[in-house]
Amino acid sequence: MCRSKNQPFFTFVSAERFLGSGKYSHLKKKVKTQFVCSSCGANSPKWIGNCPSCNAWNTYHEEQQLAASAGHAWKIGEQENVPAKPIPISEVQSLQVDRMLTGDSEFDRVTGGGIVPGSILLIGGHPGIGKSTLLLQVAMAWKGKTLYVSGEESAQQIKLRADRIGGIQDHCYLLAETNLERILLEVQKLEPSLLIIDSIQTVHSSQLDSAPGTITQVRDSTTMLQRLAKETQIPVIVIGHITKDGSIAGPKVLEHIVDAVLQFEGDRHHVFRLLRTIKNRFGSTDELGIYEMNQGGLNAVINPSKLWLNQNDAIKSGNAVGATLEGQRPILIETQALVSSAVYGTPQRSTTGFDMRRLHMLLAVLEKRCGLFFGQSDVFLNIAGGLRVTDPAIDMAVLCALVSSLEDIELAHTICFAGEIGLSGEIRSVNRLEQRILEAERLGFDKIFISRYHAKNMDFEPERIQIRHVGSINDLYDEVFGER
Ligand code: TYD
Ligand code: MG
């Protein structure tokens, strides 16, 4: 972009002054009404019962909105008036992005190696999962000045939490404010190097008539923060509430506006918390951060498999360990099955952390291909530690846990499994097998069962762990439980 050396990169203009100034004063009065779908954010000039965009019923609500550009209290010098010209891609200068490390190893990993200056991140998660705690930790670990804006708690409440976490820093500023224009003014005065907004649903712009939390407010406030980030290069992290079905409250468009969407999840009854990337314009979406929530806040988990492996030695039948992948991280997880004779006419099937339909499929395969009948038995399946596993590589461990419980044969606690089960009873290969094998070896397992079909293209030889190749569930049965 052409900009003379002396020209400031941006100027801060207060919302009132900006809208009041001659050229834009008309925007102050120009109000239009529209109906917005609270599920997907589509809008229409008339009320509609059934949203044509997301098919939801009765989700249209009336909202008043200022004309298009009214929300832009942020104004860049004169740049807006410079018309852009098309340039050949080869002539565009590559941007060297110096990522800013947050000081939190898991957060840096998930963002793809630190935060990119001028980017805006959205982090969603269920209430009470620890979003505010995580970002307060990030704010305090950050090397420069940070501004933590909370619309949900007072500065005293945040201080209480900070005392719990420890490591209070002078350069972390708190602001209990919900008015967007006032937040922007404070940013202008303080000039922090990181801005955190907790949460976007509480922020409202006085230029819009709709209530805080409405789609127009959430969307326009995010757009304004995005402009702030782009024009000042201050990275902004925004917390977003999520709805019952797990999507970020407010329209889907919110996810389009921001550069990265992170999801903070976990089970409130367990200590671990997972930070996943759903979208990342500057990095991979396969990354996973693992934390443990304890008395002093969130701690990064360096050795995740420890969380999900059985700690006691008294292993009973029905337990098997699967080498799974979460994001790009190999994790060994204990699966537990209990097969008992059904008391009532219809046998029960119940799962925790595993897909019920997948369990039905595995039972059907065992019956059809292996002659093992579960028709008269109740089957309970549990992934230990409260984790939800969707990686198909866990199939083989689940299958062995089921057979182990049915036959009441204990499995040695030094063996583990990584393979997907096909409908004809074949054991299929899974991705990133080397990583899984190395993790199992590191944790002291001495045997791992994998698919025979992977053998051809494996060119590494682990030292301490023995690799067993199996082709079908019958081979697996013979190898693990002995010949029938
Ligand atoms: P919080 O960050 O307020 O959640 P969110 O912002 O996602 O709603 O986290 C609240 C929970 O975290 C609360 O139930 C208590 C727990 N917690 C701890 O267990 N240890 C701690 O050190 C802190 C600060 C919170
Ligand atoms: Mg909170």
Side-chain angles (χ1 to χ4, degrees):
M1 229 176 268
C2 26
R3 178 164 62 95
S4 77
K5 267 199 187 139
N6 304 331
Q7 192 183 351
F9 185 59
F10 62 85
T11 52
F12 292 93
V13 181
S14 83
E16 287 81 35
R17 255 185 60 208
F18 177 59
L19 285 178
S21 64
K23 193 168 155 198
Y24 295 102
S25 54
H26 61 287
L27 292 178
K28 250 186 159 172
K29 288 150 215 144
K30 205 166 173 182
V31 176
K32 70 175 184 189
T33 299
Q34 61 175 358
F35 290 84
V36 185
C37 170
S38 60
S39 159
C40 71
N43 52 39
S44 144
K46 283 188 308 185
W47 185 84
I48 320 176
N50 178 217
C51 175
S53 152
C54 70
N55 229 359
W57 286 92
N58 204 15
T59 49
Y60 273 71
H61 300 286
E62 185 174 10
E63 281 184 11
Q64 283 188 331
Q65 204 186 21
L66 278 175
S69 59
H72 301 155
W74 211 265
K75 188 187 167 213
I76 342 161
E78 293 302 314
Q79 281 187 30
E80 263 184 331
N81 296 332
V82 180
K85 270 194 296 192
I87 24 176
I89 189 162
S90 54
E91 285 174 25
V92 178
Q93 281 189 349
S94 304
L95 198 66
Q96 283 297 328
V97 279
D98 291 326
R99 289 173 183 264
M100 301 153 104
L101 291 179
T102 57
D104 178 322
S105 60
E106 298 297 290
F107 203 89
D108 288 341
R109 175 208 296 275
V110 172
T111 48
I115 300 181
V116 173
S119 65
I120 174 165
L121 267 77
L122 176 68
I123 162 161
H126 285 289
I129 207 72
K131 301 179 293 299
S132 307
T133 310
L134 175 69
L135 290 188
L136 188 59
Q137 277 185 220
V138 168
M140 291 197 294
W142 188 256
K143 294 261 158 38
K145 224 190 263 176
T146 53
L147 180 60
Y148 183 100
V149 182
S150 179
E152 303 196 336
E153 290 155 304
S154 66
Q156 284 75 19
Q157 283 170 316
I158 304 170
K159 178 72 194 305
L160 268 181
R161 176 178 293 135
D163 285 336
R164 244 178 119 176
I165 299 170
I168 293 181
Q169 300 285 350
D170 279 345
H171 56 62
C172 174
Y173 289 76
L174 303 180
L175 174 68
E177 179 60 83
T178 54
N179 182 285
L180 186 63
E181 284 72 28
R182 282 204 288 270
I183 295 173
L184 296 183
L185 278 178
E186 292 305 327
V187 173
Q188 173 191 355
K189 279 192 226 152
L190 190 70
E191 294 185 18
S193 58
L194 175 70
L195 173 65
I196 293 171
I197 306 283
D198 183 5
S199 67
I200 192 68
Q201 276 82 8
T202 57
V203 169
H204 66 94
S205 162
S206 43
Q207 292 162 35
L208 303 170
D209 283 343
S210 39
T214 53
I215 288 160
T216 321
Q217 284 281 7
V218 169
R219 186 181 49 202
D220 288 11
S221 306
T222 314
T223 313
M224 212 113 106
L225 289 166
Q226 187 224 24
R227 289 199 57 184
L228 161 78
K230 293 279 171 292
E231 289 157 21
T232 61
Q233 293 296 297
I234 301 173
V236 180
I237 307 179
V238 169
I239 293 181
H241 293 166
I242 64 174
T243 54
K244 261 191 251 152
D245 65 356
S247 56
I248 290 170
K252 202 81 185 149
V253 287
L254 208 62
E255 296 186 18
H256 293 296
I257 300 171
V258 297
D259 295 310
V261 181
L262 308 181
Q263 175 96 22
F264 202 40
E265 56 187 47
D267 189 328
R268 274 219 254 169
H269 304 293
H270 291 92
V271 288
F272 72 88
R273 301 282 183 272
L274 304 179
L275 185 63
R276 286 180 201 280
T277 341
I278 294 174
K279 158 183 172 174
N280 192 355
R281 283 190 184 143
F282 309 111
S284 138
T285 52
D286 275 344
E287 293 295 352
L288 177 78
I290 306 175
Y291 293 93
E292 211 175 343
M293 174 71 97
N294 47 37
Q295 283 310 310
L298 291 156
N299 287 342
V301 175
I302 311 298
N303 191 359
S305 298
K306 276 234 166 98
L307 276 178
W308 290 289
L309 280 182
N310 199 341
Q311 278 97 24
N312 74 42
D313 290 331
I315 296 183
K316 302 271 184 302
S317 63
N319 287 17
V321 176
T324 66
L325 274 188
E326 279 290 328
Q328 289 181 353
R329 300 177 77 170
I331 302 178
L332 276 92
I333 295 175
E334 178 109 19
T335 60
Q336 297 185 307
L338 182 69
V339 180
S340 64
S341 50
V343 181
Y344 302 106
T346 318
Q348 292 184 58
R349 270 92 179 89
S350 158
T351 59
T352 316
F354 188 72
D355 182 20
M356 177 85 92
R357 277 169 301 177
R358 192 100 194 141
L359 173 68
H360 285 149
M361 182 225 118
L362 292 177
L363 293 176
V365 172
L366 275 172
E367 189 168 321
K368 188 90 180 167
R369 312 287 174 206
C370 226
L372 295 170
F373 293 95
F374 291 83
Q376 302 297 316
S377 314
D378 288 339
V379 177
F380 303 95
L381 185 80
N382 183 20
I383 304 289
L387 198 71
R388 209 184 149 72
V389 182
T390 48
D391 180 6
I394 194 98
D395 281 0
M396 216 201 303
V398 169
L399 191 112
C400 287
L402 290 169
V403 178
S404 159
S405 182
L406 180 78
E407 309 269 42
D408 207 13
I409 302 174
E410 284 171 33
L411 291 177
H413 59 268
T414 51
I415 62 172
C416 61
F417 307 88
E420 184 184 347
I421 309 289
L423 288 185
S424 46
E426 83 278 21
I427 291 171
R428 308 170 74 106
S429 170
V430 289
N431 62 355
R432 296 175 187 269
L433 205 53
E434 277 99 61
Q435 258 177 289
R436 299 171 198 259
I437 295 171
L438 289 176
E439 177 73 358
E441 185 180 39
R442 198 176 66 79
L443 290 165
F445 284 84
D446 58 22
K447 206 187 272 183
I448 182 165
F449 288 85
I450 64 164
S451 165
R452 178 196 295 160
Y453 307 106
H454 197 83
K456 287 167 226 126
N457 43 18
M458 207 155 75
D459 56 352
F460 92 115
E461 201 55 47
E463 285 164 23
R464 280 171 286 130
I465 193 166
Q466 189 191 356
I467 300 176
R468 307 292 302 168
H469 299 277
V470 279
S472 71
I473 57 173
N474 282 305
D475 295 354
L476 182 66
Y477 188 100
D478 294 347
E479 283 244 11
V480 177
F481 301 96
E483 304 255 341
R484 279 180 288 175

